[in-house]
Amino acid sequence: MSNHQKRLSVPNSWPVERKTATFTVKAGAGPHGRDGVPLLIILRDVLGYTASKKEARYALNQDSVLVNGQSVSDEQRPIGMFDILAFPERDEYYRVFPDEGGRLALTPIDEDAADGRLAKIEDKTNVPGGETQLNLHDGSNLRVESDSDYNTKDSIVVGTEDKEILAHFPYEEGSLVTAVRGQHAGEIGEVTDITVTPGSGSNTVAVEGDENEFETVEEYLVVIDENFTGGDDE
């Protein structure tokens, strides 16, 4: 397996310039699958806090960067949608949020808002002991009581320290959602209608935003709370 990543072939979600150089850093193993952006790109290319991989490694070895409440020492650690990046020494906190076009961007948030990360429930699995395992969008999972009212396509807020569920946003008509893929990626609106498609096809969802209405497949949507659209007013 190659240790190189060409800029022209990186996922559309990566916030990198594609024609400034041939190669960029390759993401390591971890959450978010192929869409995960290496932490080095965030530190060097997006925030400009380091000028090289060597500087990034030094900063990470000082435990000065937290991802979802945990210190990270690997500059290739994948960063993805709804992760929380914290720089306590700088008193700076960010949520990774899809921008227009689906490119990942950093939204400044208050320190209190960094206590929990948003996660979409992709699947549910019954496990021994009478519990249900919630499989989340970033590849992580969480166990809850089998009679808990959490459903696939719902969103939850998971505490960055204790991993407890802090909030629950059901997927239903009237829910506030953001599109994370497709031509409407980055747009936010309220679900006005869910059309169930017979067979194996994807259900379609009508969404009404502040400026326009659009339709997309429900796999491209994530339920959010209004506090997740920005940080200054949280």
Side-chain angles (χ1 to χ4, degrees):
M1 183 177 295
S2 173
N3 290 322
H4 303 287
Q5 172 66 62
K6 287 190 175 182
R7 286 177 176 260
L8 288 175
S9 63
V10 300
N12 292 332
S13 60
W14 284 33
V16 299
E17 297 296 330
R18 285 165 169 73
K19 297 183 179 181
T20 56
T22 302
F23 294 101
T24 186
V25 64
K26 185 176 182 179
H32 301 290
R34 183 174 180 270
D35 289 333
V37 180
L39 180 56
L40 174 60
I41 288 179
I42 302 295
L43 298 176
R44 183 189 62 193
D45 301 341
V46 177
L47 294 171
Y49 288 167
T50 62
S52 65
K53 181 185 293 186
K54 182 177 180 180
E55 288 185 10
R57 285 179 175 174
Y58 177 80
L60 294 174
N61 286 334
Q62 308 308 307
D63 295 331
S64 60
V65 181
L66 305 181
V67 178
N68 299 331
Q70 305 293 320
S71 61
V72 176
S73 59
D74 181 7
E75 76 277 3
Q76 291 183 288
R77 197 273 194 195
I79 305 298
M81 186 173 63
F82 305 129
D83 277 345
I84 301 294
L85 269 65
F87 303 88
E89 294 179 1
R90 293 174 173 265
D91 194 27
E92 293 182 5
Y93 304 86
Y94 299 93
R95 178 182 296 113
V96 181
F97 201 81
D99 204 346
E100 292 185 9
R103 177 174 285 201
L104 297 178
L106 300 182
T107 300
I109 58 176
D110 295 333
E111 181 178 0
D112 291 343
D115 291 340
R117 65 181 180 88
L118 190 71
K120 179 180 180 179
I121 301 175
E122 296 282 3
D123 190 19
K124 293 180 14 175
T125 306
N126 292 325
V127 295
E131 292 184 313
T132 296
Q133 179 174 288
L134 306 180
N135 303 312
L136 308 180
H137 75 278
D138 60 358
S140 64
N141 54 67
L142 196 65
R143 291 192 177 189
V144 297
E145 297 295 329
S146 59
D147 59 352
S148 298
D149 190 25
Y150 301 109
N151 296 308
T152 301
K153 304 182 187 71
D154 289 356
S155 291
I156 56 177
V157 178
V158 182
T160 54
E161 291 188 5
D162 55 19
K163 311 305 179 187
E164 295 293 327
I165 297 177
L166 305 179
H168 174 211
F169 308 129
Y171 169 71
E172 58 191 7
E173 291 185 6
S175 296
L176 185 68
V177 296
T178 182
V180 297
R181 295 193 298 276
Q183 69 180 96
H184 298 288
E187 296 186 34
I188 295 172
E190 183 178 298
V191 174
T192 57
D193 184 66
I194 300 173
T195 301
V196 177
T197 303
S200 60
S202 297
N203 297 338
T204 58
V205 184
V207 180
E208 182 176 353
D210 291 336
E211 300 180 357
N212 68 315
E213 299 180 3
F214 65 90
E215 187 175 279
T216 187
V217 295
E218 61 185 6
E219 288 85 358
Y220 289 178
L221 297 176
V222 177
V223 183
I224 61 174
D225 178 74
E226 59 184 8
N227 290 330
F228 286 81
T229 63
D232 295 338
D233 58 348
E234 294 187 14

